[in-house]
Amino acid sequence: MPTQAKGWGTESADQPLRPMSFERRDLRPNDVAIRITHAGICHSDLHTCRDDWGGTRYPTIPGHEIVGTVTAVGSEVTRHAIGDTVAVGCMVDSCMECTQCLEGWEVFCERGGSTFTYNGKDRHDGSLTKGGYSDHIIVRDHFVCSVPQGMDVARVAPLLCAGITTYSPLRQYGVGESSKVAVVGLGGLGHMGVKLAAAMGAHVTMITTTPSKGADARELGAHDLIISTDAEQMAAAGNRFNFILNTIPVAHDIQPYLMLLGRAGRMVIVGAIEPMPGYHGGLLISHNRAVGGSAIGGIPETQEMLDFCAAKDIYPDCEMIRMDQVNEAYERLLKNEVRYRFVIDMAQGL
Ligand code: NAP
Ligand code: ZN
């Protein structure tokens, strides 16, 4: 029998979020049912609600940084059991048969990409997927990660998107003790980028538009700070970095940042998912620089990231809110006022 769920979502790009009731599917044999205790607020949730990228299907119920407790499992599930504390990120399903899926890159599933946690199309019944701003969720077992024993459950949720989206490129490009890393944009993703790169042993520089975040950046683990609007500071940092993680959430000129890369340096863009202005090819040819992108990270890598954070005691800086504060939280996110991730505490009511 499908179950009745409660959540918060929106019916159009110009409407605030409001309480909604909807159905969750009956358990399939490989499904896990989760009572959600916490959901992080990612800037992508806001982009989707406001249809910034086009393609939002309404009503949309966002939320892809999810932590909760297993309440039921399908007949074929072996990895999770009732009572386990688990976590779900941006994906809830994929074909699990193609090369990308088998190699742990489910997001690039060759059969139509992975199924996203919200605003996605369920690959079995065609229904619109609905995310973590809700009381419970049903997810295919492979896409459910285990929260390591002893972790502070209230602060885990943002790891499932902000954490893995920054951990994955840092790992893909071998960031370690000899790396000079810059993180651009001190928001939800950026603050995790700083913590993770520092924990991997890199020398980390925060590049921000907001001078008042300087002290925070150092507390988060940054060794150095550059204010990107200060041309002198930017010029002085030319050719300095091996790796730049760029989390700016909107289109922008990447040339000033490319100039900061040293020989064979790479900038990975994770934030701006929209058309970008061009750049001079000479900036890549000079110093053999590269620019690329990165999409979240795979499920095995997400579990690795959770285990890494548990071992190193790394948590996001969370501001806990009630579900009915979500619209106010979105406005503060737009005004660049969050330090550094909102987490909805479902225990305070939906
Ligand atoms: P966020 O909390 O709003 O942080 C973004 C930060 O970027 C801001 O705190 C600000 O930092 C800086 N910034 C904002 N507007 C800027 C502008 N116009 N120019 C320069 N810097 C600006 O957002 P988030 O949750 O970290 O998400 C960042 C982006 O990543 C979003 O677009 C989101 O959709 C995307 N995302 C991508 C993936 C992926 O798979 N690639 C996954 C998750 C999220 P300062 O004040 O320090 O300048
Ligand atoms: Zn996200």
Side-chain angles (χ1 to χ4, degrees), residues 57-125:
R57 287 180 292 159
Y58 297 95
T60 192
I61 295 191
H64 60 201
E65 295 183 337
I66 300 169
V67 167
T69 309
V70 175
T71 54
V73 293
S75 56
E76 292 172 8
V77 173
T78 54
R79 287 178 48 241
H80 302 289
I82 293 173
D84 287 358
T85 303
V86 292
V88 176
C90 304
M91 302 177 276
V92 287
D93 202 359
S94 70
C95 84
M96 290 311 298
E97 288 171 355
C98 73
T99 308
Q100 298 301 326
C101 286
L102 295 176
E103 292 183 354
W105 288 100
E106 303 86 346
V107 64
F108 304 128
C109 173
E110 289 162 20
R111 298 187 191 146
S114 60
T115 305
F116 286 122
T117 305
Y118 62 83
N119 198 40
K121 188 175 164 190
D122 184 283
R123 52 211 307 130
H124 305 283
D125 63 21

Side-chain angles (χ1 to χ4, degrees), residues 41-45 64-65 90 118 161-162 165 189 296 341:
I41 295 183
C42 178
H43 206 119
S44 303
D45 302 348
H64 60 201
E65 295 183 337
C90 304
Y118 62 83
C161 177
T165 304
L189 267 58
I296 32 176
R341 203 59 145 180

Side-chain angles (χ1 to χ4, degrees), residues 39-259:
I41 295 183
C42 178
H43 206 119
S44 303
D45 302 348
L46 191 152
H47 283 309
T48 306
C49 285
R50 310 257 163 118
D51 202 20
D52 290 343
W53 299 325
T56 300
R57 287 180 292 159
Y58 297 95
T60 192
I61 295 191
H64 60 201
E65 295 183 337
I66 300 169
V67 167
T69 309
V70 175
T71 54
V73 293
S75 56
E76 292 172 8
V77 173
T78 54
R79 287 178 48 241
H80 302 289
I82 293 173
D84 287 358
T85 303
V86 292
V88 176
C90 304
M91 302 177 276
V92 287
D93 202 359
S94 70
C95 84
M96 290 311 298
E97 288 171 355
C98 73
T99 308
Q100 298 301 326
C101 286
L102 295 176
E103 292 183 354
W105 288 100
E106 303 86 346
V107 64
F108 304 128
C109 173
E110 289 162 20
R111 298 187 191 146
S114 60
T115 305
F116 286 122
T117 305
Y118 62 83
N119 198 40
K121 188 175 164 190
D122 184 283
R123 52 211 307 130
H124 305 283
D125 63 21
S127 62
L128 177 64
T129 58
K130 298 189 172 66
Y133 297 4
S134 56
D135 57 356
H136 74 286
I137 191 164
I138 314 284
V139 180
R140 183 173 176 172
D141 54 355
H142 176 81
F143 293 82
V144 178
C145 293
S146 299
V147 174
Q149 287 272 333
M151 276 195 107
D152 176 1
V153 173
R155 293 190 290 158
V156 168
L159 298 178
L160 276 295
C161 177
I164 184 60
T165 304
T166 49
Y167 180 90
S168 179
L170 293 169
R171 275 281 186 252
Q172 281 173 67
Y173 298 106
V175 165
E177 281 176 12
S178 58
S179 311
K180 290 201 170 91
V181 171
V183 178
V184 185
L186 186 44
L189 267 58
H191 95 292
M192 285 311 305
V194 170
K195 289 189 186 208
L196 291 166
M200 290 172 191
H203 183 277
V204 184
T205 299
M206 183 71 232
I207 303 183
T208 179
T209 59
T210 313
S212 63
K213 289 181 183 172
D216 288 1
R218 289 186 193 279
E219 261 175 47
L220 296 167
H223 307 94
D224 229 329
L225 181 76
I226 295 174
I227 308 299
S228 54
T229 48
D230 182 328
E232 259 179 46
Q233 289 189 30
M234 290 290 276
N239 310 330
R240 185 185 290 178
F241 301 106
N242 310 116
F243 187 82
I244 298 179
L245 182 65
N246 179 339
T247 77
I248 297 175
V250 289
H252 59 280
D253 181 7
I254 62 171
Q255 298 181 106
Y257 304 106
L258 286 178
M259 285 188 257

